[in-house]
Amino acid sequence: MSYFEHHVFFCCNQRPEDEACCAKHGAQELQAYAKSRIKALGLDGAGKIRINKAGCLGRCDEGPVLVVYPEGVWYTFIDQEDIDEIIDSHLVGGKIVERLKLA
Amino acid sequence: MSYFEHHVFFCCNQRPEDEACCAKHGAQELQAYAKSRIKALGLDGAGKIRINKAGCLGRCDEGPVLVVYPEGVWYTFIDQEDIDEIIDSHLVGGKIVERLKLA
């Protein structure tokens, strides 16, 4: 069994001004939002859900991106509404959000 | 199939001076070392291996720690020799390094 049921990594890398980069699309703020929402739901901790910051995940052109392990599902997102849908549908409900999923 | 065959996250979080923290045990330097070694082996990139920095992975007392996904195997490590063993045995050879593995 995985140490965390879902381990989520937000790309929070910051690139130079003229390059594509998740951090320019609010990734850090939305990571903080997701973390606080999971905590408020009482779903953080071992055996449950962890929301992490990560360095560059290597998919800059498709960003902002996050990845959910161990299932290895990648998402892009725009705003809190998208993050809420990923939390409610996937992390809590176990149903992948197809409209935000990356190949 | 996973976007990366192995996606490795090193806890590189920095805590206040009087608290346990992976960064105080050379995590950042060893992450950089692992990344450069995987690149030198020609094993970095989509479909292959990615070595990432991450924020606090929540296992401070067992640190320094890293986690390999999608398999969800956690390791602790001391030096380059340990990192080489994780790379050669697990990431390249597919054989978990039991002596460094965390429960």
Side-chain angles (χ1 to χ4, degrees), chain B:
Chain B
M1 210 195 70
S2 224
Y3 186 80
F4 296 114
E5 185 189 352
H6 299 291
H7 199 166
V8 181
F9 296 89
F10 280 72
C11 184
C12 289
N13 194 48
Q14 287 192 296
R15 289 198 174 278
E17 264 201 22
D18 55 340
E19 294 176 26
C21 146
C22 296
K24 283 173 201 151
H25 297 276
Q28 296 183 347
E29 295 75 9
L30 289 169
Q31 185 270 341
Y33 171 74
K35 190 171 182 177
S36 69
R37 181 137 189 266
I38 290 297
K39 191 169 183 175
L41 291 167
L43 294 175
D44 61 320
K48 294 188 279 187
I49 297 169
R50 177 122 192 138
I51 307 289
N52 256 110
K53 285 182 198 168
C56 177
L57 295 178
R59 301 186 70 168
C60 310
D61 293 342
E62 300 166 279
V65 299
L66 63 82
V67 57
V68 186
Y69 282 114
E71 55 267 58
V73 173
W74 291 75
Y75 288 114
T76 188
F77 52 86
I78 297 288
D79 51 23
Q80 283 193 7
E81 217 168 297
D82 289 346
I83 297 299
D84 282 337
E85 191 172 343
I86 291 167
I87 291 174
D88 297 337
S89 176
H90 183 152
L91 303 184
V92 177
K95 191 172 180 302
I96 288 171
V97 183
E98 296 294 344
R99 73 174 185 90
L100 299 174
K101 188 173 176 282
L102 296 175

Side-chain angles (χ1 to χ4, degrees), chain A residues 5-89:
Chain A
E5 185 188 352
H6 299 291
H7 199 166
V8 181
F9 295 89
F10 280 72
C11 183
C12 289
N13 195 47
Q14 286 193 298
R15 289 200 173 276
E17 265 203 19
D18 55 340
E19 293 176 26
C21 146
C22 296
K24 283 173 200 149
H25 297 276
Q28 297 184 348
E29 294 77 8
L30 288 169
Q31 186 269 340
Y33 170 74
K35 190 171 181 176
S36 68
R37 181 133 190 266
I38 290 296
K39 192 169 183 177
L41 290 168
L43 295 174
D44 60 321
K48 296 188 277 184
I49 297 171
R50 178 122 191 138
I51 307 289
N52 256 109
K53 286 183 198 169
C56 178
L57 295 178
R59 302 186 70 168
C60 310
D61 293 342
E62 301 165 278
V65 298
L66 63 81
V67 58
V68 186
Y69 282 114
E71 55 267 57
V73 173
W74 291 75
Y75 288 114
T76 188
F77 52 84
I78 297 287
D79 51 23
Q80 283 193 7
E81 217 167 298
D82 289 347
I83 297 299
D84 281 337
E85 191 171 344
I86 292 167
I87 291 173
D88 296 337
S89 176

